[in-house]
């Protein structure tokens, strides 16, 4: 409803969504003024539909956003290898060389043991914390967050084309099926603790703002890279992904060295379509709005005088958002836009 097959966002749907959000956010005295709500709605709608969404749908922008995020994560990890490495001169076998070798081996084993102990303690602590979290609300269908993520990764990375990766994913799928309830709570805990944190969200918002509006808003639009620069940007992203994936995981999941790069490139290929990116942005926008305002997704009561559709179940009743948007579209078709302003230049 909010977007057509060519990736053009329906301004009526977006305008009406913003109108419902303003009704939920504005104070009572501001809601009484239709002109004030209309002005705020049209200003926000113009920024979203003309400036933000078209840029978000560009493949080069998504690649640049992912590349900036990977680079910021890499800069946060200190590189201590150069500080600890010392040049070693090649000498013949001697007592000193043997002693240094033995002490280095002992140091390596002690560091490995300390790492394993720390990993064990962290795992036990995480399991205890997850077990103490409240149970997730019951649903008619099992959630299976882990299985859905695993199958999505399998499709994106073409796992079934490689025997070793397929075997690893089959084992993981069996384990996720056994510990389904615990994995669901673990993923929610990891999402809230490590991903949807205040620092990470602020970082993503800052990177998006700097990429969307380099000189602030209002200001000149971001400079669109040339086709050659876009290809170079994608190449840099592929190299950053290769550097962030451990070698063992890369060999087992992505395949050997020549096939690893092809797997990453094929995984990024779906983001190269601007129309598909537009559909993805609208879907994510709908999920975000319904997560912040659940009342907009509640089914509207059907009028008793309106005959029920034979192909519509009780659980498929239109929501407040979809019903109000449909009525607004009908009003536009009849020549009554229902708004004192129209979203234009």
């Amino acid at each position: 409803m909010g977007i057509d097959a060519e990736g053009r966002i329906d301004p009526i749907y977006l305008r009406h969504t913003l109108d419902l959000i303003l009704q939920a956010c504005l104070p009572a005295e501001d809601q009484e003024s239709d002109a004030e709500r209309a002005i705020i709605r049209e200003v926000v709608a113009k920024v979203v539909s003309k400036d933000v969404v078209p840029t978000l749908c560009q493949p080069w922008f998504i690649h640049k956003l992912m590349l900036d995020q990977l680079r910021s994560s890499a800069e946060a990890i200190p590189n201590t290898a150069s500080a600890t490495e010392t040049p070693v001169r090649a000498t013949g076998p001697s007592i000193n060389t043997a002693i240094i070798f033995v002490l280095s081996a002992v140091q390596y084993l002690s560091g490995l043991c300390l790492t394993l102990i720390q990993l064990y303690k962290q795992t036990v602590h995480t399991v205890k914390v997850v077990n103490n979290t409240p149970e997730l609300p019951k649903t008619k269908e099992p959630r299976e967050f882990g299985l859905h993520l695993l199958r999505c990764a399998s499709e994106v990375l073409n796992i079934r084309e490689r025997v070793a990766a397929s075997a690893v994913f089959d084992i993981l799928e069996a384990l996720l099926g056994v510990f389904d309830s615990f994995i669901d709570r673990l993923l929610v805990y990891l999402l809230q603790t490590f991903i949807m944190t205040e620092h990470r969200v602020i970082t993503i918002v800052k990177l998006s703002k700097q990429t969307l509006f380099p000189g602030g808003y209002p200001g000149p639009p971001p400079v669109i890279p040339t086709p050659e620069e876009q290809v170079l940007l994608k190449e840099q992203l592929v190299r950053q992904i290769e550097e962030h994936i451990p070698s063992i995981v890369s060999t087992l999941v992505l395949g050997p060295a020549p096939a690893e790069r092809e797997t990453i490139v094929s995984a990024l290929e779906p983001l190269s379509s601007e129309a598909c990116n537009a559909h993805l942005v609208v879907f994510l926008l709908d999920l975000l709005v319904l997560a912040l305002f659940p009342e907009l997704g509640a089914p509207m009561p059907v009028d008793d005088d309106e005959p029920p559709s034979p192909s519509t179940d009780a659980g498929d009743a239109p929501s407040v958002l979809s019903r109000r948007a449909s009525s607004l579209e009908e009003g536009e078709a009849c020549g009554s836009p229902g708004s004192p302003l129209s979203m234009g230049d």
Side-chain angles (χ1 to χ4, degrees):
M1 182 188 300
I3 191 170
D4 57 12
E6 287 74 19
R8 294 189 296 268
I9 297 179
D10 186 4
I12 301 175
Y13 185 80
L14 178 61
R15 197 186 307 139
H16 187 71
T17 303
L18 294 173
D19 194 24
L20 293 175
I21 295 175
L22 291 176
Q23 291 180 6
C25 296
L26 290 178
E29 57 272 14
D30 294 331
Q31 293 183 7
E32 296 177 356
S33 176
D34 294 337
E36 180 180 355
R37 284 192 295 106
I39 292 174
I40 298 175
R41 181 188 66 223
E42 298 304 322
V43 170
V44 177
K46 193 267 179 184
V47 174
V48 173
S49 62
K50 302 294 184 181
D51 301 326
V52 176
V53 174
T55 307
L56 286 176
C57 299
Q58 296 295 327
W60 66 265
F61 177 81
I62 299 178
H63 294 160
K64 188 175 187 306
L65 190 62
M66 295 172 63
L67 184 61
D68 293 341
Q69 183 64 28
L70 290 175
R71 285 175 175 173
S72 63
S73 301
E75 292 173 357
I77 301 176
N79 186 9
T80 58
S82 59
T84 57
E85 290 180 355
T86 56
V88 179
R89 292 178 297 178
T91 59
S94 63
I95 299 298
N96 294 335
T97 305
I99 293 176
I100 292 174
F101 176 78
V102 172
L103 293 178
S104 300
V106 172
Q107 182 181 8
Y108 175 78
L109 291 176
S110 62
L112 179 61
C113 293
L114 291 176
T115 302
L116 293 176
I117 292 173
Q118 184 64 26
L119 180 62
Y120 173 76
K121 291 181 178 180
Q122 184 64 35
T123 303
V124 172
H125 173 72
T126 303
V127 171
K128 290 182 179 180
V129 172
V130 173
N131 288 329
N132 292 332
T133 56
E135 291 284 346
L136 298 176
K138 300 294 183 180
T139 56
K140 296 181 180 179
E141 298 293 336
R143 291 184 175 85
E144 298 181 345
F145 294 150
L147 287 176
H148 292 324
L149 289 177
L150 190 65
R151 290 166 183 170
C152 178
S154 176
E155 292 294 332
V156 172
L157 301 176
N158 297 323
I159 293 299
R160 299 306 174 185
E161 296 181 359
R162 296 177 293 277
V163 178
S166 180
V168 171
F169 269 63
D170 288 338
I171 296 174
L172 292 177
E173 188 172 355
L175 293 176
L176 291 177
V178 174
F179 304 100
D180 187 25
S181 177
F182 175 78
I183 294 298
D184 290 343
R185 288 186 293 170
L186 176 62
L187 290 176
V188 173
Y189 168 77
L190 295 177
L191 180 67
Q192 297 176 349
T193 306
F194 298 102
I195 299 179
M196 298 302 298
T197 60
E198 180 180 359
H199 174 71
R200 185 170 295 275
V201 172
I202 291 176
T203 302
I204 294 175
V205 171
K206 286 183 178 179
L207 291 175
S208 303
K209 181 180 178 182
Q210 292 174 1
T211 309
L212 281 171
F213 311 111
Y217 188 86
V223 179
I224 300 178
T226 62
E228 293 78 11
E229 293 175 343
Q230 295 181 17
V231 172
L232 181 60
L233 192 66
K234 187 175 182 179
E235 291 293 331
Q236 294 176 356
L237 176 60
V238 172
R239 286 198 298 267
Q240 283 289 332
I241 295 176
E242 290 177 344
E243 294 176 1
H244 279 73
I245 299 178
S247 58
I248 299 178
V249 177
S250 176
T251 304
L252 289 176
V253 178
L254 302 181
E260 174 188 0
R261 184 178 183 85
E262 297 178 0
T263 303
I264 297 176
V265 172
S266 63
L268 295 175
E269 190 63 28
L271 298 176
S272 301
S273 174
E274 184 178 352
C276 293
N277 294 339
H279 283 80
L280 179 62
V281 169
V282 172
F283 290 154
L284 294 177
L285 179 62
D286 288 343
L287 291 175
L288 178 62
V289 171
L290 293 179
L292 296 177
F293 306 96
E295 62 275 8
L296 300 183
M300 289 188 64
V302 182
D303 192 1
D304 296 336
D305 298 335
E306 181 180 353
S309 175
S311 60
T312 304
D313 298 333
D316 298 333
S319 63
V320 177
L321 185 60
S322 60
R323 174 69 72 86
R324 298 276 303 270
S326 299
S327 63
L328 190 59
E329 288 181 355
E330 294 176 359
E332 290 279 354
C334 297
S336 57
S339 171
L341 298 176
S342 61
M343 187 170 55
D345 296 335

